[in-house]
Amino acid sequence: MPARSRDTILVINAGSSSIKFYLYDIGAQRELTPVLGGQLDGIGTQHPRLRVRDGDGQPVLERQIAPRHASDVNDAQEVVGTWLSGHLNGSPIAIGHRVVHGGTAFSAPVLVDDQVLEQLRALNSLAPLHQANNLAPIQVIRERRPELPQVACFDTAFHRSHSALADRYALPEQLYQEGVRRYGFHGLSYEYVAQRLRRALPDIAPGRVIAAHLGSGVSACAMVNGKSVDSTMGFTALEGLPMGTRPGRLDPGIVLWLMERGMSHDEIQHFLYHECGLKGLSGIGNDMRELQASDDPAAVMALDYFAWRVAEGMIGLGCAMNGIDAIVFTAGIGENSPDIRARIASYWEWLGIRIDPERNRHNGPRISADDSKIGVYVVRTNEELVIAQHTLDLVRPA
Ligand code: ADP
């Protein structure tokens, strides 16, 4: 690896099945340039793999990891940490982390100390798929390198611009006061999309935009002038649109029914976070590409359900803005699947929305036809860059 003279920021995104890491050079004008990106995926499976690429996307390393060394995120972070300490040219000036839930206390990125860590741990049950995994590397790095600044960046923070009404459920006030609110998630992704629109599509950025993050998790966000006014996700990342392994909208009566059948809290939690969505509907898996390649009727039905309910949920956000000026797709499915985008948009023809097949096939940026009443776009998200920017701003204010 070449010697580096500049300061760097490390970004860590630790999830239940993968740990992703990115290193950014800090330029003279505070511009952040990726110099390294990697991920250890397949945590908890028989085939964990560590892959690293340089700043140009060229492979640096691809290695199978023994399953016993990546049985959970705690093991896996040792593998990643050992590789990083052997290959980084000096210490980063700070580490930025993706943390899913900031609760009511955190509406902006924060420097982590013991008290902050404690407050964030108290939110674990609100994001059982993510929060504990997000916090695991923060804890270990604090123990080993207490002098190294660490910044937590929240998926909920971007949505704190919601009105009190948008944050409500139709529940008694007491529960709202206790924090039972519609927090919204994927905020780091939407923040990047808003930033990107300002730079690349300045005519659209000030308007009323519905952005849809269609990845493993799936949600949509209503933004006015780059500020979130509503989200399909709520108290936890279960609500809203169908996802890879989560159902999205669900009659709470179903949860009661499962309880009556004798399922415990932990069983229901596992079921809702890991066994539903595309995986549950298809009985095959949660990977969109796998389902698209299958002619199994259950896979076909899973895609039909996905397209319909995503289309419905996205367009419903228009009520929060009294109209829609533009629609943006992002994340793994949103950026890469012309077929799913076209299927979703087919539910909007009554609104005069038309997709141009050729533009769609090329993944945009504009995929709508010239005569479409509303412009439809694809924007590649970059949550890591947003985390790196926030981290730099906190540890070295401009
Ligand atoms: P995460 O980062 O949360 O794991 P991603 O944003 O990477 O999620 O999205 C993962 C999803 O994107 C998977 O369902 C995957 O199948 C889907 N995906 C990635 N590339 C494509 C593609 N070319 N066509 C269809 N789906 C794709």
Side-chain angles (χ1 to χ4, degrees):
M1 206 141 296
R4 278 192 301 275
S5 52
R6 284 180 174 167
D7 288 341
T8 58
I9 284 183
L10 182 66
V11 170
I12 296 180
N13 179 354
S16 54
S17 64
S18 71
I19 297 179
K20 299 177 183 166
F21 53 91
Y22 308 83
L23 190 72
Y24 290 88
D25 259 352
I26 307 168
Q29 308 302 317
R30 300 171 67 82
E31 72 280 13
L32 292 163
T33 310
V35 287
L36 197 71
Q39 69 184 75
L40 197 168
D41 53 26
I43 296 173
T45 73
Q46 285 308 304
H47 305 287
R49 264 191 325 170
L50 177 61
R51 284 175 294 171
V52 184
R53 293 178 179 275
D54 66 17
D56 299 322
Q58 297 304 313
V60 171
L61 171 88
E62 173 133 13
R63 182 194 290 165
Q64 299 291 335
I65 303 295
R68 68 177 189 287
H69 290 144
S71 63
D72 62 22
V73 73
N74 288 313
D75 289 343
Q77 66 180 351
E78 292 297 331
V79 175
V80 171
T82 305
W83 190 87
L84 281 172
S85 36
H87 290 82
L88 292 193
N89 191 2
S91 173
I93 62 158
I95 303 181
H97 297 265
R98 176 190 180 204
V99 176
V100 161
H101 219 304
T104 50
F106 300 104
S107 53
V110 64
L111 261 170
V112 179
D113 59 20
D114 288 341
Q115 194 194 345
V116 168
L117 203 49
E118 206 47 50
Q119 284 174 280
L120 296 178
R121 269 203 210 97
L123 301 169
N124 280 4
S125 69
L126 298 190
L129 205 57
H130 298 104
Q131 191 87 346
N133 293 317
N134 300 158
L135 301 181
I138 303 183
Q139 170 74 40
V140 168
I141 294 164
R142 265 191 80 67
E143 284 162 11
R144 297 183 188 169
R145 296 281 313 277
E147 78 292 351
L148 187 58
Q150 297 194 81
V151 173
C153 299
F154 304 102
D155 270 314
T156 48
F158 184 67
H159 301 293
R160 298 286 53 78
S161 45
H162 289 186
S163 67
L165 191 58
D167 270 0
R168 292 269 167 167
Y169 288 101
L171 293 170
E173 167 73 15
Q174 178 63 26
L175 287 180
Y176 179 81
Q177 293 307 335
E178 288 176 31
V180 182
R181 303 179 185 193
R182 304 194 66 252
Y183 292 98
F185 296 88
H186 289 137
L188 296 161
S189 176
Y190 294 127
E191 189 174 344
Y192 180 80
V193 168
Q195 214 180 83
R196 191 76 206 128
L197 290 180
R198 276 196 293 277
R199 294 221 182 103
L201 297 163
D203 294 348
I204 292 158
R208 300 164 296 178
V209 176
I210 291 172
H213 179 108
L214 312 182
S216 302
V218 171
S219 75
C221 171
M223 300 191 281
V224 179
N225 194 15
K227 299 262 182 299
S228 173
V229 295
D230 201 5
S231 161
T232 56
M233 275 185 172
F235 181 55
T236 69
L238 282 174
E239 191 182 342
L241 312 180
M243 309 179 213
T245 59
R246 290 167 260 167
R249 66 185 262 185
L250 195 69
D251 180 342
I254 295 170
V255 177
L256 297 175
W257 187 80
L258 293 173
M259 288 168 72
E260 277 163 31
R261 290 225 315 199
M263 279 177 81
S264 67
H265 165 277
D266 287 3
E267 285 167 345
I268 295 175
Q269 180 167 287
H270 178 84
F271 176 70
L272 293 176
Y273 279 94
H274 296 280
E275 302 296 339
C276 297
L278 293 173
K279 184 180 176 193
L281 277 170
S282 67
I284 295 173
N286 64 334
D287 193 305
M288 181 56 87
R289 284 163 294 195
E290 194 182 348
L291 300 184
Q292 287 179 313
S294 169
D295 54 10
D296 187 313
V300 174
M301 190 262 290
L303 299 192
D304 288 346
Y305 181 95
F306 186 85
W308 180 8
R309 294 306 182 189
V310 169
E312 178 195 35
M314 284 176 68
I315 228 66
L317 290 176
C319 291
M321 309 184 289
N322 207 8
I324 303 166
D325 299 315
I327 292 172
V328 176
F329 287 103
T330 193
I333 301 167
E335 292 167 16
N336 299 305
S337 180
D339 172 56
I340 296 293
R341 291 192 301 256
R343 280 176 187 235
I344 292 170
S346 71
Y347 287 94
W348 303 331
E349 282 175 9
W350 57 282
L351 288 167
I353 296 174
R354 304 267 180 275
I355 298 299
D356 179 301
E358 200 52 22
R359 289 175 183 166
N360 190 29
R361 199 164 62 77
H362 287 103
N363 293 325
R366 183 183 165 113
I367 61 168
S368 50
D370 290 341
D371 64 350
S372 181
K373 290 256 167 54
I374 297 173
V376 186
Y377 301 83
V378 173
V379 171
R380 295 204 170 270
T381 194
N382 193 342
E383 291 149 291
E384 299 74 36
L385 181 61
V386 171
I387 296 171
Q389 287 165 342
H390 283 308
T391 303
L392 177 62
D393 288 346
L394 267 186
V395 298
R396 204 178 268 180

